[in-house]
Amino acid sequence: MRMHTSSPGERGVWIRRENRIVLLPGGAAGAPVAAGLETELESAPPDYTVCDFIHPNIDVAAQYALFGMLREGGVARSVALMILAAVKAKPPLLGGVYQVDQYVPAMRARFWNKGWWQLIPAGRPSACLPATARGEPPLIVFRKSLAKDPAALGRALLSAWTECSFSVPVPAPPGPGGRPCTRPKPAGRAAMIVAPATLVFDRQSTVAGVIVGRIMVSSSGPGSVTWQARPTASWVRLIPSSGTATAAGTEVSVIVDASQLQRGARHITNVLITSPGARTADLDVEVR
């Protein structure tokens, strides 16, 4: 703000006229005290809005949390901008910020022969997953329970960031978009439901070398969901292995090849059932 006045210390009621502030005498709504008491408003440099954090590799809850960190200032602001810069770098230094049970982290867990629930150490709200041997960049993941608490999620993201390491420096963050953020309220989205979540088979029910069970894949909410099953063991397959499910549900056969299993042993595996933009479902399969 730049002030030009011929009477320093003069006080009064002010009104705004376009980009100028005009002081009125003695609180009256009359003429200005003097022409020199008009104050020209300088345009403040544009700052970031929550829309500047929109990115397909940043979970929506994380977008709001990062914006909250930015508004907090200090170290939190710096880290929020560094995370944004790392995700937007070309090639990306950070693969994204996700809820731990979403598709990308689930696939990272599968590459390491783990379940997604094993990615974050017990008692921790978040983690920075290291780069993989096949060249995929690190990921920041956080627990689903934090999605509705932006302040707590912001602290978790800051903590996870301190664990991340990169082979090259993080570039400068992109500047603000400079336009008002008119982010629309997201429309309702169908969620995927898999039931039951666990199948337990008795080896005695084997017929022609296989054991067959069934699950239902359906949607909750408007529309339908596309899904794909990804078994983590060679002795389990699903028919069909992918499809589109509505609220009415799709019946899926779960087939266990008993010939691959050691007799007298207990066998446990899981099947990842994924859907773009939806929570990954886990189907636990046990043969006794």
Side-chain angles (χ1 to χ4, degrees), residues 234-253:
S234 61
W235 47 270
V236 177
R237 61 192 175 101
L238 277 69
I239 298 177
S241 60
S242 62
T244 300
T246 63
T250 299
E251 186 176 83
V252 180
S253 297

Side-chain angles (χ1 to χ4, degrees), residues 139-287:
L139 296 176
I140 287 179
V141 295
F142 60 91
R143 296 193 186 279
K144 186 179 181 67
S145 58
L146 296 175
K148 294 184 179 180
D149 189 342
L153 177 52
R155 293 190 294 270
L157 297 182
L158 194 155
S159 174
W161 175 256
T162 63
E163 303 172 14
C164 293
S165 61
F166 307 103
S167 58
V168 297
V170 177
R179 290 178 291 182
C181 180
T182 55
R183 185 170 189 157
K185 182 179 180 180
R189 175 183 292 176
M192 180 177 60
I193 299 174
V194 176
T198 302
L199 289 177
V200 179
F201 296 107
D202 186 338
R203 185 77 177 245
Q204 301 301 318
S205 60
T206 302
V207 177
V210 299
I211 311 171
V212 180
R214 287 174 175 77
I215 60 171
M216 292 290 290
V217 180
S218 58
S219 68
S220 172
S224 59
V225 292
T226 57
W227 60 274
Q228 183 173 8
R230 300 173 183 270
T232 57
S234 61
W235 47 270
V236 177
R237 61 192 175 101
L238 277 69
I239 298 177
S241 60
S242 62
T244 300
T246 63
T250 299
E251 186 176 83
V252 180
S253 297
V254 180
I255 302 174
V256 172
D257 182 357
S259 66
Q260 296 188 43
L261 306 181
Q262 181 182 352
R263 288 188 175 276
R266 182 183 178 193
H267 300 270
I268 300 175
T269 188
N270 72 305
V271 179
L272 298 175
I273 302 179
T274 61
S275 178
R279 180 179 179 274
T280 298
D282 281 279
L283 170 65
D284 295 321
V285 180
E286 179 179 351
V287 180

